[in-house]
Amino acid sequence: MEVLQTVEEIRRYVSSLKKSQKTIGFVPTMGFLHDGHASLIDRAKKENDTTIVSIFVNPLQFNNLSDFEKYPKNEEVDRLLLKKLNVDILFSPQTSEIFGSFQDNKIEMKIPSLMRNLCAPTRPGHFEGVLHIVSKLFNYTLPNRAYFGLKDYQQYLIIKELVNNLSFPIEIIGMETIREKNGLAMSSRNSRLSPEDIEDATLIYRSMSMAKDYAKKKSTNINVVKEFIKEILLSSKNIKIDYLEILDPLTLEEKEELSGNILIGIAIFIKDVRLIDNIRFEV
Ligand code: AMP
């Protein structure tokens, strides 16, 4: 595996791949890698001649400075895992390499219809930061395919829309959430939780799964299902709900009736650690 740290290096490498007509699979990450990231990398390896993984903790997408500063890092361990996964290129630039003096002039993109709910109102500026960095990374790596996790479902839809709307010649592939045995969605942020916090965090998936079964078995309405989930989550005093929403999974508009395709999206805080998860199903 080669580790590239500058824009010039990655552009040179990508240009030589293009000359030899090699396809490129790209997996953008913020590091502190786990099996969720590995599942995206495995798929990219299978579908492309060359796989590029980036590790970059993007300051633009953090609306909270302490969340940015406390974001877990261990690039040494990440590199060992990436080597084991036979990744071809790790692109791991410094912040100054990516933003230079342009931070004050950053372009802010918005996709209004997909940014009304879920993480957009509760993390102002987050998706603008994501759209900005992902556009830059796409321009450096010129991938044929890019891989994103459905744990960040809204991000996946927004990036698909970016690519369709602005005609990036890239196929966006979404991959199901990889979970711990106890159901908790794998996340770099889980490393900031104590064993007791982890126990509480498992209530996210448990409450969504129970709500899904409940919704499928009984004819009920959205408010009842929301109350059902709330009660389970708030059975722990350690949990603060950031949002709990039941939406249409294609448009991200609020559902009025509990029928058809359903997305339940949840964000909670355990102390100052923010965790998100979602499930999608049909009633
Ligand atoms: P991150 O490093 O958290 O920015 O995530 C990088 C990519 O990995 C994003 O596309 C995430 O959606 C994806 N990802 C994170 N956690 C998981 C997971 N548990 N299962 C599948 N994909 C994930």
Side-chain angles (χ1 to χ4, degrees):
M1 181 178 78
E2 268 194 70
V3 181
L4 306 180
Q5 292 185 301
T6 68
V7 171
E8 198 191 327
E9 284 171 327
I10 188 80
R11 282 203 197 279
R12 201 177 319 127
Y13 189 90
V14 165
S15 157
S16 73
L17 291 174
K18 294 285 170 192
K19 271 186 204 132
S20 49
Q21 301 199 326
K22 297 264 192 271
T23 57
I24 298 174
F26 177 47
V27 183
T29 82
M30 298 205 296
F32 214 81
L33 303 175
H34 49 68
D35 285 354
H37 299 111
S39 75
L40 307 184
I41 294 168
D42 277 341
R43 172 100 181 253
K45 291 281 309 167
K46 285 197 188 99
E47 295 180 344
N48 303 278
D49 298 321
T50 306
T51 299
I52 302 178
V53 175
S54 65
I55 295 183
F56 182 65
V57 184
N58 170 30
L60 294 184
Q61 72 189 68
F62 286 82
N63 55 315
N64 175 325
L65 183 65
S66 119
D67 190 28
F68 173 63
E69 285 169 349
K70 289 184 183 161
Y71 199 83
K73 291 177 192 66
N74 194 339
E75 202 170 311
E76 239 172 81
V77 176
D78 286 347
R79 284 188 192 193
L80 290 177
L81 176 72
L82 294 174
K83 267 188 207 154
K84 220 168 97 193
L85 293 171
N86 284 320
V87 164
D88 301 287
I89 295 291
L90 166 61
F91 179 50
S92 162
Q94 297 293 311
T95 310
S96 56
E97 178 67 18
I98 296 298
F99 294 119
S101 57
F102 291 105
Q103 197 144 359
D104 292 340
N105 279 341
K106 81 179 155 62
I107 292 173
E108 272 193 5
M109 283 181 267
K110 289 190 198 299
I111 303 176
S113 66
L114 295 176
M115 286 166 61
R116 287 197 189 109
N117 295 317
L118 302 172
C119 292
T122 51
R123 295 189 75 188
H126 168 68
F127 288 117
E128 290 83 342
V130 169
L131 285 165
H132 189 95
I133 190 64
V134 169
S135 302
K136 277 167 98 75
L137 292 171
F138 281 171
N139 278 329
Y140 302 145
T141 55
L142 303 179
N144 299 78
R145 298 179 191 84
Y147 298 81
F148 290 86
L150 298 182
K151 181 175 92 70
D152 301 283
Y153 184 75
Q154 189 175 22
Q155 167 175 280
Y156 161 74
L157 284 190
I158 282 177
I159 291 188
K160 253 180 119 65
E161 189 57 36
L162 167 82
V163 160
N164 289 337
N165 219 301
L166 298 185
S167 310
F168 285 78
I170 303 171
E171 187 186 348
I172 301 299
I173 290 148
M175 302 273 302
E176 257 321 323
T177 304
I178 304 295
R179 301 180 178 282
E180 305 286 355
K181 280 204 187 78
N182 59 20
L184 177 63
M186 289 193 181
S187 164
S188 310
R189 287 189 169 90
N190 293 351
S191 65
R192 296 185 51 214
L193 300 174
S194 70
E196 294 76 30
D197 296 337
I198 298 265
E199 195 54 43
D200 290 331
T202 61
L203 292 176
I204 309 171
Y205 185 62
R206 207 177 317 154
S207 65
M208 290 192 303
S209 307
M210 286 167 74
K212 171 177 144 185
D213 292 344
Y214 183 67
K216 277 176 167 278
K217 271 189 216 129
K218 307 212 165 146
S219 65
T220 179
N221 68 49
I222 295 214
N223 286 336
V224 171
V225 172
K226 278 191 178 170
E227 283 308 313
F228 179 87
I229 296 175
K230 244 189 217 169
E231 209 170 292
I232 297 174
L233 290 174
L234 298 180
S235 67
S236 160
K237 292 208 168 49
N238 211 4
I239 290 181
K240 197 174 142 267
I241 298 174
D242 193 27
Y243 64 69
L244 157 56
E245 290 175 14
I246 299 185
L247 307 175
D248 180 301
L250 285 181
T251 61
L252 299 189
E253 274 165 13
E254 267 185 56
K255 291 287 282 194
E256 277 166 19
E257 279 175 27
L258 202 60
S259 62
N261 290 321
I262 303 284
L263 162 82
I264 302 181
I266 294 182
I268 64 157
F269 282 100
I270 293 187
K271 304 196 178 89
D272 64 340
V273 182
R274 188 173 179 280
L275 302 171
I276 63 170
D277 201 351
N278 70 83
I279 52 171
R280 284 146 279 115
F281 57 93
E282 208 181 327
V283 177

